[in-house]
Amino acid sequence: SKSLIASIIQCNCPKCRQGTLFKKQGLFIYSEMLDMHEYCMVCNQKFEIEPGFWIGAMWISYPIVVAIELPFLFLALVADGNLIWVYFGLMIIAFLIFWPLMLRLGRSSWAHICIRKEKQTV
């Protein structure tokens, strides 16, 4: 069976860890990045288990944003003159590049926190 971490990173179903959460696979999908299946195609788990369910994923995405942006912020704080704007620009570029990763990992992590893995029967 697939590990929890692998299932989160590969955006698999949190219950069976085989089906996919998103219609397009991968962490760096820029078009239709949040288009998700309503149910798992393998175990039929409903992903949005209540209205507003994905709002919780924003709390998971926040530390990912901080981890990506913090180095640029520190560099800007110690930089001189116009170099501050270079680091600020790089921070914006990094945010735009990693935006799909932040959103998808946030949703995948949130789903894995709220939906329990199916117990294997012998």
Side-chain angles (χ1 to χ4, degrees):
S1 175
K2 189 177 288 187
S3 75
L4 174 65
I5 301 298
S7 182
I8 290 171
I9 291 172
Q10 293 172 6
C11 300
N12 290 116
C13 170
K15 184 176 179 185
C16 70
R17 296 185 183 171
Q18 294 175 24
T20 58
L21 290 170
F22 297 97
K23 292 180 180 177
K24 291 184 176 181
Q25 287 302 107
L27 291 175
F28 290 93
I29 302 299
Y30 292 90
S31 67
E32 302 160 352
M33 69 179 82
L34 292 180
D35 282 1
M36 300 181 69
H37 299 288
E38 190 174 347
Y39 294 90
C40 176
M41 294 182 291
V42 176
C43 71
N44 209 34
Q45 169 66 46
K46 184 171 173 56
F47 293 134
E48 188 171 355
I49 55 179
E50 63 186 15
F53 175 71
W54 297 117
I55 292 172
M58 291 188 309
W59 292 100
I60 305 297
S61 297
Y62 182 72
I64 299 169
V65 172
V66 170
I68 292 168
E69 300 298 328
L70 210 54
F72 297 106
L73 180 61
F74 283 130
L75 288 170
L77 289 172
V78 299
D80 297 352
N82 289 334
L83 211 49
I84 293 170
W85 296 107
V86 171
Y87 292 128
F88 182 70
L90 289 173
M91 188 168 76
I92 291 171
I93 290 168
F95 180 82
L96 294 174
I97 290 171
F98 288 101
W99 187 25
L101 175 133
M102 292 180 270
L103 292 175
R104 285 180 164 231
L105 275 183
R107 281 198 176 191
S108 182
S109 299
W110 185 245
H112 281 77
I113 288 168
C114 297
I115 301 168
R116 295 289 168 226
K117 185 178 185 297
E118 193 172 61
K119 297 278 191 256
Q120 300 296 326
T121 56
V122 179

